[in-house]
Amino acid sequence: MAAAAECDVVMAATEPELLDDEEAKREAESFKEQGNAYYAKKDYNEAYNYYTKAIDMCPKNASYYGNRAATLMMLGKFREALGDAQQSVRLDDSFVRGHLREGKCHLSLGNAMAACRSFQRALELDHKNAQAQQEFKNANAVIEYEKIAETDFEKRDFRKVVFCMDRALEFAPACHRFKILKAECLAMLGRYPEAQSVASDILRMDSTNADALYVRGLCLYYEDCIEKAVQFFVQALRMAPDHEKACVACRNAKALKAKKEDGNKAFKEGNYKLAYELYTEALGIDPNNIKTNAKLYCNRGTVNSKLRKLDGAIEDCTNAVKLDDTYIKAYLRRAQCYMDTEQYEEAVRDYEKVYQTEKTKEHKQLLKNAQLELKKSKRKDYYKILGVDKNASEDEIKKAYRKRALMHHPDRHSGASAEVQKEEEKKFKEVGEAFTILSDPKKKTRYDSGQDLDEEGMNMGDFDANNIFKAFFGGPGGFSFEASGPGNFFFQFG
């Protein structure tokens, strides 16, 4: 029994000594004053701790909640601060600073309408309050920015939306909605690193934010990283199954990937007609996907070049570089098409662009080749003048000269008008000049390689077309033109 009594004594609970109301208030005030001191030193974490102690001692004091709300605002915890500010005005509806802090929290979080109501209440209590007046104006400015942004988003004026969101975020720095809208527009403008940065900042604070996951996916999608993009879209839909934008983007990404792969497969198999159709269908899926569409245009341009539809190939490559002016492959493809269609100036311009971007030996050689062909194209085309192919044999060149020289000889046109005689004489000289070059292996080689013919004594201004003609047909008096009827001539050898 003695043991049991001792045990009872040991187990007996001692009642805590309760403070009376006045002592609690004094203790709470002491904590508040310490909180104020830390707040003044900008040690907001310690200030928060002491204001919390004050609230624990006197949970019905509005100013303690108001002070803690101010501290949380300085720590950037606006949602928690909002709860304290609302509690402060519930306890004391005449607490002006409480209404101001509630309004400021609403505004920082992007709820400008609620902010306006709080600032209006503060002005009802103190109509001369300068802070309330200014904050009321700020809240209305945010409402206006939201309206403009909504209209401009529908118009696809994404730059203006970004501008409006930047202005709104000056007053609402903790608003995820504004940040997401800005990030989405940055992605639509091709400013992917900036958009990614905004979305990542939100995800660091809230890893389940479906809007931020969608924007991350959108950036990857527009950078042609379609598989990774789909993963983010799927994750966003797990968090928010009704997320319409993520749903549409996921569907487009999958369709685009499938069509592009089918087109590539058809191309590799040599089925160019089917590849063309598949790339065309892919281009119709999402006009906003600039990088992927640039590649699709270039791919279709390659198909057109295989089908020898060079004008179509040039047009497709042009569309590709309009979408992505850094797309080297499209410039190279278009330049080759320009070379094939003898548009050498355009080819040189494209190869210059490529070489400025990537100074490789291969690109340098392509540029040199184009410059050479351009230089050659600006000279007389002796092959064209004689009407022969560039691979024509010596006999073919002689036959062509015989035919053209007789066709344009001045004696044959002695009865024509002065204008016609002058034109035919010019052509006769050109024929002789062409024969002089193409019948001489050394001169022909220099001509074909694009070298200047005036070098090494090959001055083309010194030759005489008549002497060439006489030498070819057997010397002076070796032939003559005679009329056989009106407008008809034949030649005979002496």
Side-chain angles (χ1 to χ4, degrees):
M1 289 294 292
E6 288 174 8
C7 186
D8 287 342
V9 171
V10 171
M11 293 177 65
T14 57
E15 291 293 327
E17 189 178 343
L18 297 175
L19 297 175
D20 61 33
D21 287 346
E22 288 303 317
E23 285 182 274
K25 286 178 182 177
R26 282 196 298 273
E27 189 87 18
E29 277 297 306
S30 173
F31 288 139
K32 185 194 84 168
E33 292 302 325
Q34 290 178 76
N36 289 349
Y38 281 113
Y39 188 94
K41 294 176 185 176
K42 299 185 180 181
D43 188 345
Y44 302 117
N45 286 310
E46 277 303 307
Y48 172 85
N49 291 334
Y50 278 98
Y51 290 140
T52 300
K53 289 178 181 180
I55 289 169
D56 290 341
M57 297 302 296
C58 288
K60 293 187 178 180
N61 187 303
S63 69
Y64 297 167
Y65 284 99
N67 286 6
R68 193 168 72 172
T71 303
L72 287 166
M73 289 168 69
M74 296 307 294
L75 290 168
K77 298 179 179 180
F78 293 100
R79 201 164 295 283
E80 294 172 50
L82 177 60
D84 275 353
Q86 288 174 325
Q87 180 63 12
S88 74
V89 297
R90 274 195 292 268
L91 292 169
D92 181 3
D93 187 51
S94 65
F95 186 28
V96 174
R97 280 187 294 178
H99 288 292
L100 285 172
R101 286 166 186 157
E102 181 188 10
K104 189 69 174 174
C105 288
H106 277 308
L107 186 56
S108 295
L109 292 165
N111 191 347
M113 292 295 290
C116 279
R117 289 193 292 270
S118 296
F119 297 137
Q120 280 177 321
R121 178 59 183 149
L123 288 168
E124 288 171 8
L125 296 167
D126 180 5
H127 68 279
K128 292 183 179 180
N129 190 294
Q131 184 184 353
Q133 291 171 352
Q134 184 57 53
E135 294 290 5
F136 185 71
K137 288 180 182 178
N138 294 345
N140 278 296
V142 170
I143 291 170
E144 190 61 27
Y145 285 131
E146 281 192 82
K147 288 179 182 176
I148 296 170
E150 185 179 351
T151 301
D152 288 330
F153 189 87
E154 290 177 6
K155 293 178 182 177
R156 302 185 65 78
D157 189 348
F158 302 121
R159 283 184 178 81
K160 198 168 180 184
V161 177
V162 170
F163 172 82
C164 287
M165 288 302 95
D166 278 337
R167 300 290 80 75
L169 283 164
E170 290 175 5
F171 304 116
C175 181
H176 286 180
R177 184 164 47 88
F178 293 170
K179 290 178 181 179
I180 288 294
L181 181 56
K182 175 185 173 179
E184 185 177 357
C185 291
L186 287 170
M188 300 298 269
L189 291 167
R191 293 160 63 179
Y192 307 119
E194 295 172 75
Q196 288 270 30
S197 177
V198 173
S200 296
D201 286 345
I202 293 172
L203 289 170
R204 273 192 288 273
M205 292 181 279
D206 178 9
S207 62
T208 64
N209 189 299
D211 291 324
L213 290 167
Y214 160 70
V215 170
R216 282 289 304 275
L218 196 66
C219 291
L220 291 165
Y221 172 59
Y222 285 151
E223 288 183 290
D224 199 37
C225 300
I226 294 180
E227 283 188 32
K228 287 184 180 179
V230 169
Q231 292 173 11
F232 275 96
F233 294 144
V234 169
Q235 198 176 347
L237 289 167
R238 282 201 198 103
M239 301 302 156
D242 296 328
H243 199 295
E244 187 177 345
K245 288 182 177 180
C247 186
V248 171
C250 191
R251 185 169 61 245
N252 284 346
K254 288 178 178 178
L256 202 53
K257 181 175 180 289
K259 285 289 180 189
K260 185 181 176 186
E261 287 177 351
D262 288 345
N264 293 348
K265 182 182 176 185
F267 180 83
K268 287 176 183 176
E269 292 173 351
N271 192 342
Y272 301 129
K273 184 179 178 183
L274 177 59
Y276 181 91
E277 291 172 358
L278 289 165
Y279 289 141
T280 301
E281 288 173 15
L283 281 164
I285 292 172
D286 185 2
N288 295 320
N289 195 321
I290 292 171
K291 280 208 169 182
T292 301
N293 287 345
K295 290 181 180 180
L296 288 168
Y297 271 121
C298 188
N299 287 1
R300 196 173 73 174
T302 304
V303 171
N304 270 326
S305 68
K306 290 287 186 182
L307 294 169
R308 302 312 296 167
K309 296 179 179 179
L310 297 178
D311 288 341
I314 290 170
E315 184 180 353
D316 277 340
C317 291
T318 299
N319 285 327
V321 298
K322 279 181 182 176
L323 293 176
D324 182 1
D325 63 0
T326 65
Y327 194 12
I328 296 299
K329 189 175 179 182
Y331 283 110
L332 288 170
R333 171 61 56 194
R334 186 172 69 174
Q336 184 56 56
C337 291
Y338 281 141
M339 292 290 285
D340 292 341
T341 53
E342 299 184 1
Q343 298 179 66
Y344 300 120
E345 287 188 10
E346 290 81 356
V348 167
R349 189 163 56 244
D350 277 354
Y351 283 132
E352 282 177 341
K353 170 78 174 177
V354 170
Y355 186 61
Q356 286 168 6
T357 307
E358 294 182 0
K359 288 182 165 57
T360 66
K361 288 183 179 179
E362 181 186 357
H363 294 159
K364 186 176 183 180
Q365 189 58 50
L366 288 169
L367 175 58
K368 277 188 173 182
N369 293 345
Q371 289 170 333
L372 176 60
E373 291 302 322
L374 174 61
K375 181 181 177 182
K376 287 162 68 175
S377 71
K378 292 183 180 294
R379 304 176 311 173
K380 292 178 183 177
D381 187 341
Y382 293 138
Y383 291 103
K384 189 175 182 180
I385 289 169
L386 287 182
V388 296
D389 185 78
K390 290 183 179 179
N391 297 316
S393 66
E394 187 179 343
D395 284 343
E396 287 172 331
I397 290 171
K398 286 181 179 179
K399 286 179 182 177
Y401 172 70
R402 175 187 291 274
K403 178 181 176 183
R404 298 286 172 124
L406 293 172
M407 185 187 300
H408 299 298
H409 194 283
D411 288 354
R412 185 169 189 171
H413 304 280
S414 57
S417 66
E419 186 179 347
V420 171
Q421 286 186 36
K422 186 176 180 181
E423 181 63 27
E424 291 299 326
E425 184 177 353
K426 178 185 174 184
K427 290 180 179 178
F428 178 68
K429 288 181 70 175
E430 286 180 342
V431 167
E433 186 178 327
F435 180 68
T436 300
I437 299 303
L438 300 183
S439 62
D440 184 311
K442 185 178 178 181
K443 292 177 182 179
K444 183 176 183 296
T445 300
R446 290 183 65 82
Y447 174 76
D448 289 341
S449 65
Q451 297 179 62
D452 291 329
L453 297 173
D454 288 343
E455 296 175 7
E456 297 186 10
M458 297 182 187
N459 190 340
M460 298 313 299
D462 295 340
F463 88 102
D464 188 318
N466 285 311
N467 288 340
I468 296 168
F469 186 87
K470 290 173 183 177
F472 186 86
F473 286 100
F479 78 96
S480 66
F481 285 96
E482 305 222 356
S484 60
N488 297 316
F489 294 84
F490 68 92
F491 73 89
Q492 63 180 25
F493 293 96

